[in-house]
Amino acid sequence: MEIAFLIEKVAIVVILFVVTLTIAAYSTLAERKVAAFLQDRVGPDRAGPFGVFQPLADGGKMFFKEETTPNGANKWLFIAGPSLALLTSFLGSAVIPWGQSINFFGRIVPLQVTDINVGILYIFGVVSLGVYGIMIGGWASNNKYSLMGAIRGASQNISYEIAMGLSIIALLLCTNSLSFKVIAEQQHGINWNFWYQPLGFLIFLVCAFAETNRVPFDLPECETELIGGYNTEYSGFKMGAYMFAEYINMFVSSAVMATLYFGGYNYPGMDFVNLHLGPTWGPLVGVAVLLGKILAFIFFFMWVRWTVPRFRYDQLMNLGWKILIPLAIANIVVTACVITFFDKF
Amino acid sequence: MESLSGRKKVLEQKPMNFWERIYLPAIFKGMGITFMHMFKKKETTYYPEQEREFSENWRGMHSLKRDENGKERCTACGLCALSCPAEAITMTSAERQKGEEHLYREEKYAAVYEINMLRCIFCGLCEEACPKEAIYLDGPIVPSEFLRKDFIYGKDKLVELSITDLAAQKGVLA
Ligand code: SF4
Ligand code: SF4
């Protein structure tokens, strides 16, 4: 039994790892394709039909590029930065429930690496670790642009984590649980948390953009002002690691948003589908639905990137501290009042 | 100050109203606009397979012309090289020998004529300077190469095909 359990977990981890990497790789292509289509172009289309091998070509290029380390850089931290960024970005996906438990040759397999009962806290912990990758990389480069990018990244992440946490508290008032599994199960069918917490979702979404350093909050990178920010000095594979970390972060935060607010693997009519497809294929449809939601979110991330210009730094801080945090607190108060007086949920 | 022309327009700067200040409607409107562009006609020209139409005064690759009898017009006077602001042109002149009258129009001709396409800025001054109407920038885009030396175009690439060459090519094709 123990061995089977071990194999099961290892299999899930490996599959998750491969899927995450694939999606991150193809996000780079999707980003360019989406950018192109939004700008009336066609994007990369030379490597294979419609450019499907472009990520491989890009990866190969990253590997074979010369890697330089600046003279004054701290050698160890210079390597630790991108490694840490990549590592922490992978960690988040461990607690996401990817589907209902699946019947695999008579064995009930939960489609989740681990169900921690404080899963949300875990995600928050991992996400706040992510800033170390940026901080260390920027610091180790021994370059003022990098350092400025790193400082911006750190202060931005800290500011927006507060609003993010507050928006989650309102959600927790509704769900009464910190476990992703329980939260996902509660949103059976179309009973999604989004209908109860639209404002909370909006705040969470804005914060997710800030936490993943995506446009319009990409101030740590900021090509025009900081020449790449914390990754100015990076080249070759280390640069690739940073880029990958960004796309994996995007993937994980899309998964978190889909699970917390948009029902995860739940979809209307799932009971009917499960009844007809049986306990093996039914949950897999749920997995596909979840992946579809995640891809929709990733597209949304890109769509925003190619529409909205970058914020100024004071605007960013104003938005975080003076608008989002009060809004999130008001959201908590209103949610608490509604729950107390009407005894809903 | 008093406006003399009477055309001065004072920019009206109203304070933003509530909807403008919460910013989101404007963002959604912008996203709608960008989304519509997904379905617009793409402007892309698939270059090597497809070519954009050139304008009438387009200046492309140079060609050294022949006269109506198929003789090379260039007399190696060097005016093009002198006028070239990028110093892209160089040549070696030679005297026309007996029996070569059908090849070269003047008694002096360019034995070697080279244009460095990496230096050239396609300004067209060589074309303007030439007294013999021997050089025109009427070719296509200069193709890309892997080595710098391949960008130095000699007479083999520059001189336009003679009538006999053209006939031979046609014969091959036909
Ligand atoms: S086009 Fe201008 S730059 Fe080019 S060879 Fe002629 S004169 Fe020189
Ligand atoms: S191309 Fe014209 S200007 Fe240049 S050397 Fe020949 S004749 Fe003179």
Side-chain angles (χ1 to χ4, degrees):
Chain A
M1 207 56 196
E2 273 303 306
I3 293 288
F5 179 76
L6 214 62
I7 293 175
E8 167 194 314
K9 288 303 178 198
V10 167
I12 292 181
V13 168
V14 169
I15 293 176
L16 191 55
F17 194 70
V18 171
V19 168
T20 311
L21 276 181
T22 318
I23 289 190
Y26 274 90
S27 296
T28 60
L29 173 64
E31 176 102 82
R32 295 164 71 180
K33 278 280 184 193
V34 169
F37 270 78
L38 292 179
Q39 297 167 352
D40 298 343
R41 300 182 284 116
V42 292
D45 69 335
R46 293 292 152 140
F50 304 107
V52 289
F53 299 127
Q54 190 68 38
L56 297 181
D58 285 344
K61 184 200 75 173
M62 284 287 183
F63 265 112
F64 291 117
K65 268 201 168 170
E66 184 188 359
E67 277 196 52
T68 52
T69 310
N71 255 343
N74 184 325
K75 299 283 180 301
W76 282 109
L77 292 184
F78 196 69
I79 298 171
S83 322
L84 208 61
L86 201 56
L87 179 76
T88 49
S89 62
F90 273 117
L91 286 177
S93 53
V95 290
I96 309 281
W98 298 97
Q100 287 165 302
S101 293
I102 182 173
N103 185 336
F104 192 69
F105 296 118
R107 200 183 143 76
I108 305 295
V109 180
L111 288 181
Q112 188 178 15
V113 175
T114 174
D115 177 33
I116 317 177
N117 57 8
V118 288
I120 291 185
L121 286 185
Y122 170 84
I123 285 271
F124 266 75
V126 169
V127 165
S128 34
L129 275 183
V131 75
Y132 280 99
I134 294 179
M135 267 306 271
I136 291 177
W139 172 261
S141 303
N142 192 22
N143 168 329
K144 38 184 172 259
Y145 289 122
S146 305
L147 185 60
M148 254 146 81
I151 293 172
R152 282 184 176 189
S155 51
Q156 169 180 332
N157 276 31
I158 291 167
S159 317
Y160 277 76
E161 235 155 62
I162 301 172
M164 199 180 213
L166 289 176
S167 72
I168 284 288
I169 288 178
L171 179 75
L172 296 184
L173 289 177
C174 303
T175 59
N176 285 323
S177 170
L178 279 164
S179 151
F180 270 94
K181 192 171 180 207
V182 177
I183 291 177
E185 275 164 7
Q186 282 171 351
Q187 309 180 55
H188 197 78
I190 189 108
N191 185 25
W192 297 349
N193 284 332
F194 175 71
W195 312 125
Y196 305 115
Q197 286 291 333
L199 182 63
F201 169 69
L202 193 69
I203 297 170
F204 192 91
L205 183 72
V206 174
C207 295
F209 273 91
E211 293 282 319
T212 48
N213 299 327
R214 292 283 300 182
V215 177
F217 305 115
D218 66 333
L219 289 135
E221 295 179 26
C222 214
E223 293 87 356
T224 38
E225 299 165 31
L226 293 184
I227 326 173
Y230 62 89
N231 55 27
T232 305
E233 297 289 357
Y234 283 92
S235 54
F237 193 67
K238 297 199 202 90
M239 169 79 216
Y242 268 129
M243 233 174 69
F244 245 70
E246 184 188 323
Y247 284 105
I248 295 170
N249 274 333
M250 207 161 86
F251 172 67
V252 171
S253 54
S254 297
V256 169
M257 277 191 287
T259 311
L260 287 185
Y261 288 96
F262 279 85
Y265 50 76
N266 297 293
Y267 53 97
M270 59 190 296
D271 289 326
F272 177 80
V273 174
N274 280 352
L275 202 64
H276 285 263
L277 289 178
T280 308
W281 291 104
L284 285 183
V285 175
V287 175
V289 169
L290 177 56
L291 278 181
K293 286 175 188 169
I294 292 173
L295 293 186
F297 267 116
I298 291 181
F299 172 73
F300 185 76
F301 269 99
M302 293 172 181
W303 181 13
V304 168
R305 168 163 185 187
W306 299 106
T307 304
V308 185
R310 186 185 300 129
F311 276 70
R312 228 168 41 215
Y313 199 68
D314 59 321
Q315 291 172 330
L316 174 92
M317 284 296 157
N318 269 340
L319 180 68
W321 289 98
K322 293 196 193 153
I323 297 175
L324 288 184
I325 291 181
L327 260 185
I329 294 177
N331 192 30
I332 296 175
V333 172
V334 171
T335 313
C337 290
V338 168
I339 291 176
T340 316
F341 294 132
F342 299 97
D343 205 19
K344 265 183 78 187
F345 309 118
Chain B
M1 225 209 304
E2 188 84 354
S3 164
L4 288 180
S5 62
R7 283 199 301 253
K8 191 163 96 181
K9 245 189 186 170
V10 178
L11 186 67
E12 242 182 283
Q13 268 188 318
K14 277 183 281 181
M16 285 194 280
N17 68 23
F18 176 73
W19 288 110
E20 283 165 346
R21 256 188 308 139
I22 65 171
Y23 212 66
L24 283 173
I27 288 186
F28 287 130
K29 198 171 142 209
M31 289 178 68
I33 292 173
T34 45
F35 194 72
M36 288 322 288
H37 274 269
M38 297 260 293
F39 309 107
K40 288 239 172 87
K41 201 178 143 277
K42 304 294 170 220
E43 299 289 344
T44 306
T45 315
Y46 295 81
Y47 168 58
E49 295 97 39
Q50 246 177 42
E51 267 185 26
R52 216 156 41 112
E53 243 181 67
F54 294 132
S55 74
E56 234 159 73
N57 54 358
W58 153 263
R59 294 193 294 266
M61 205 173 107
H62 313 62
S63 74
L64 287 173
K65 297 291 177 198
R66 293 173 189 275
D67 68 359
E68 50 285 355
N69 300 321
K71 307 179 196 170
E72 283 177 26
R73 303 182 74 112
C74 175
T75 180
C77 64
L79 284 177
C80 51
L82 210 62
S83 71
C84 178
E87 308 229 350
I89 304 181
T90 172
M91 72 195 73
T92 314
S93 61
E95 210 172 321
R96 186 179 67 185
Q97 304 298 321
K98 268 229 148 47
E100 286 182 340
E101 283 87 356
H102 66 288
L103 290 178
Y104 311 110
R105 204 165 76 140
E106 318 285 340
E107 296 96 70
K108 191 174 139 217
Y109 69 95
V112 180
Y113 190 105
E114 283 179 350
I115 301 182
N116 187 337
M117 292 299 177
L118 287 178
R119 295 197 66 110
C120 174
I121 55 173
F122 301 94
C123 60
L125 286 183
C126 46
E127 178 182 293
E128 261 174 58
C130 181
K132 298 287 178 192
E133 301 190 347
I135 189 163
Y136 284 95
L137 279 77
D138 55 359
I141 300 173
V142 173
S144 46
E145 307 276 359
F146 285 103
L147 298 175
R148 277 165 182 271
K149 69 173 174 51
D150 292 338
F151 280 102
I152 298 174
Y153 281 25
K155 272 180 86 175
D156 52 327
K157 286 188 181 170
L158 290 174
V159 180
E160 64 174 4
L161 289 177
S162 67
I163 300 165
T164 45
D165 286 344
L166 273 176
Q169 217 175 46
K170 280 240 178 71
V172 168
L173 290 176

